[in-house]
Amino acid sequence: MTATFPAGVQVLPSVMSADLLRLGAQVDALVGAGARVVHVDVMDGRFVPNITLGTGTAAALAGPVRAAGGLLDVHLMVERPGLAVDLFAPHAGAVSVHLEADPHPHALLQQIRAHGCLAGLAINPGTPPEAVAELVDGLDYVNCMGVNPGFSGQAYIATTPGRIARLRDLLPDRVRVEVDGGIGPANAAEARAAGADLIVSASSIFGAPDPVAAYRGLVALVGA
Ligand code: DX5
Ligand code: ZN
């Protein structure tokens, strides 16, 4: 059976900015506050310079998030993503791969769905949104990057809302649009208005003195 995203606008805490010594408690608190999709960034030091979370972290998070009826959204920023899909999909409900990372995105999307996961394509700020048009049938969501992937806490790129709107125009309603990178109180509502309904945030939630309050603030701003 294929996973489904919860209906309606969702704010997705991105755990790469969590306090890793208190990861479980922080995620439990956010799930308690209503978060049902938790974003997990996987970086290999090759597709992007940074190296982040692995299969052990995804496996540890999957239990409590699934117990609450939620799912992990695993964002693979890696070369040869097909290898990583098979490692991470068992812990995930949704997996996105970068269009720029592999010459065979059509096959990768099929590979993700074969695991019963929602299949996503992430696109860098320099990739035209129209590049996903041929892949619509195999797609469940598009992750429109608001920064160049690799690090949390970067400044939001101003062309992002226009790119979200172009995606929303070309995609059927069933394909969700995610925005990831640079999102905070100053721009979350604008990204939502442009057409994103999966709103990812790392530093504006986990960098806040009270991550639950920051999450609730974003939820209120985007009408989730
Ligand atoms: C960036 C990652 C994002 C990151 C967002 O490469 O894909 O998910 O965690 O971080 P913020 O919200 O701090 O920009
Ligand atoms: Zn991400």
Side-chain angles (χ1 to χ4, degrees), residues 2 4 22 24 26-27 38 43 46-47 49 76 95 104 122 149 152 154 157 160 165 175 182-183 202 219 223:
T2 300
T4 52
R22 298 190 299 130
Q26 288 194 326
V27 169
V38 172
M43 306 185 186
R46 296 176 68 92
F47 181 69
L76 295 174
V95 177
H104 304 292
S152 60
Q154 301 183 74
I157 294 173
T160 308
V175 179
I183 292 290
V219 165

Side-chain angles (χ1 to χ4, degrees), residues 19-36:
D19 176 348
L20 295 182
L21 294 179
R22 298 190 299 130
L23 179 61
Q26 288 194 326
V27 169
D28 283 347
L30 289 161
V31 167
R36 288 295 175 270

Side-chain angles (χ1 to χ4, degrees), residues 39 41 75 77 180:
H39 187 85
D41 287 312
H75 175 194
M77 288 159 277
D180 181 15

Side-chain angles (χ1 to χ4, degrees), residues 83-121:
L83 300 174
V85 165
D86 291 338
L87 292 171
F88 283 90
H91 311 299
V95 177
S96 68
V97 292
H98 268 266
L99 184 60
E100 305 85 1
D102 191 288
H104 304 292
H106 186 277
L108 281 170
L109 295 172
Q110 290 180 316
Q111 185 183 344
I112 295 168
R113 280 187 171 173
H115 283 279
C117 290
L118 294 154
L121 277 178

